[in-house]
Amino acid sequence: MGCSCSASSAVNLSIERQCSMMFLRLTTQLATDEFGRARDMKKFIFGRKIIVQSVLIDVWILYMGENNQASEMPKNVFKEIFGCYVSAVVKYLSQWVRNMLVLSMKSLNLNLSENDIWDIFNDCKRYIDFEIELKMTQLRDIENLSDCVWKSLEERGALNPDGTTRVDYTVFRLLFIKCAEDSWGKKKFWKNICKIVWPYISMRLMRDQT
């Protein structure tokens, strides 16, 4: 029995490590400006959707199998997946903020040079870092966040014959990232970052006009 339990734990650990690597791959790619080099936000957003879909399909197959698209994902499996996602977000949040700010400033066509953009970023970096640290504190409350996301997925889940819902392949693939980002307030967080940066952009533009 001891050997069997040990082997099972090793398999579970291997799966969790693979899941972590998948989400690290996802957040790494989203934290780069790979889709923003042409200063095209639409292209960036489209590229983001492709990456997200690809990774979530791989995660589903890893835990649920390739031919189990109608199956219900157990809550304990979801919690492990969500933990991997949060760990990856915490690791790359600072890089994501930096690159998204740079991409956004480039896409606004404000006639800011590369040096201007980095000067603006460096001028308000300490305030940005403070906002990031606050968000990371919230992200570390994984238990509460995972319960919120699970509830959101269940509410939008596939309907069972008995009237209950289940988190199946389609629900997971299409809604996991959205519900996860909603749980930690990604949109509000980004608005707060923009509120920090915009006065510095305005000052730089006014200075250049004088």
Side-chain angles (χ1 to χ4, degrees):
M1 289 294 291
C3 292
S4 176
C5 290
S6 177
S8 177
S9 297
V11 170
N12 290 339
L13 184 59
S14 175
I15 290 174
E16 187 174 357
R17 283 175 177 167
Q18 290 180 65
C19 181
S20 295
M21 290 304 297
M22 288 175 183
F23 278 113
L24 284 172
R25 186 184 80 202
L26 171 64
T27 51
T28 301
Q29 289 182 280
L30 295 183
T32 67
D33 61 349
E34 178 181 352
F35 294 96
R37 296 188 187 280
R39 302 189 179 187
D40 188 335
M41 189 60 76
K42 288 183 179 179
K43 185 178 179 182
F44 179 85
I45 292 171
F46 180 70
R48 180 185 188 276
K49 289 181 179 178
I50 293 174
I51 295 171
V52 168
Q53 291 290 302
S54 173
V55 170
L56 291 182
I57 290 170
D58 288 345
V59 170
W60 176 273
I61 292 172
L62 176 66
Y63 280 93
M64 303 297 294
E66 193 162 3
N67 299 314
N68 285 331
Q69 296 185 1
S71 298
E72 179 176 3
M73 176 176 281
K75 187 175 182 180
N76 65 313
V77 169
F78 161 79
K79 281 193 164 186
E80 185 171 306
I81 292 171
F82 185 76
C84 295
Y85 160 80
V86 169
S87 296
V89 171
V90 168
K91 183 171 183 178
Y92 283 100
L93 188 60
S94 294
Q95 187 181 348
W96 175 80
V97 168
R98 182 192 66 193
N99 287 323
M100 281 302 297
L101 279 173
V102 172
L103 173 58
S104 297
M105 283 190 273
K106 287 179 178 180
S107 68
L108 289 172
N109 295 318
L110 297 174
N111 295 320
L112 293 170
S113 68
E114 195 79 22
N115 287 336
D116 286 335
I117 290 172
W118 285 110
D119 285 346
I120 290 168
F121 177 80
N122 290 326
D123 286 345
C124 55
K125 185 177 182 300
R126 60 174 175 158
Y127 304 108
I128 293 172
D129 288 345
F130 179 74
E131 196 71 30
I132 289 172
E133 189 54 43
L134 287 177
K135 185 52 61 179
M136 284 186 175
T137 300
Q138 181 190 358
L139 280 163
R140 292 186 182 104
D141 185 9
I142 294 179
E143 190 69 26
N144 182 50
L145 291 176
S146 67
D147 286 342
C148 291
V149 178
W150 180 255
K151 183 179 179 182
S152 295
L153 290 175
E154 278 193 316
E155 288 173 351
R156 306 172 190 185
L159 194 63
N160 291 319
D162 62 358
T164 60
T165 58
R166 68 181 184 277
V167 178
D168 63 3
Y169 169 79
T170 302
V171 173
F172 176 76
R173 179 173 59 87
L174 296 179
L175 296 175
F176 175 83
I177 291 295
K178 182 186 184 308
C179 291
E181 291 178 346
D182 287 348
S183 74
W184 59 268
K186 180 186 173 184
K187 288 183 179 179
K188 184 177 180 181
F189 168 71
W190 180 244
K191 285 181 180 178
N192 290 342
I193 295 293
C194 291
K195 285 178 182 178
I196 292 170
V197 176
W198 184 249
Y200 290 86
I201 295 175
S202 298
M203 285 190 290
R204 180 56 61 105
L205 293 174
M206 289 175 66
R207 189 200 71 180
D208 291 344
Q209 289 174 358
T210 58

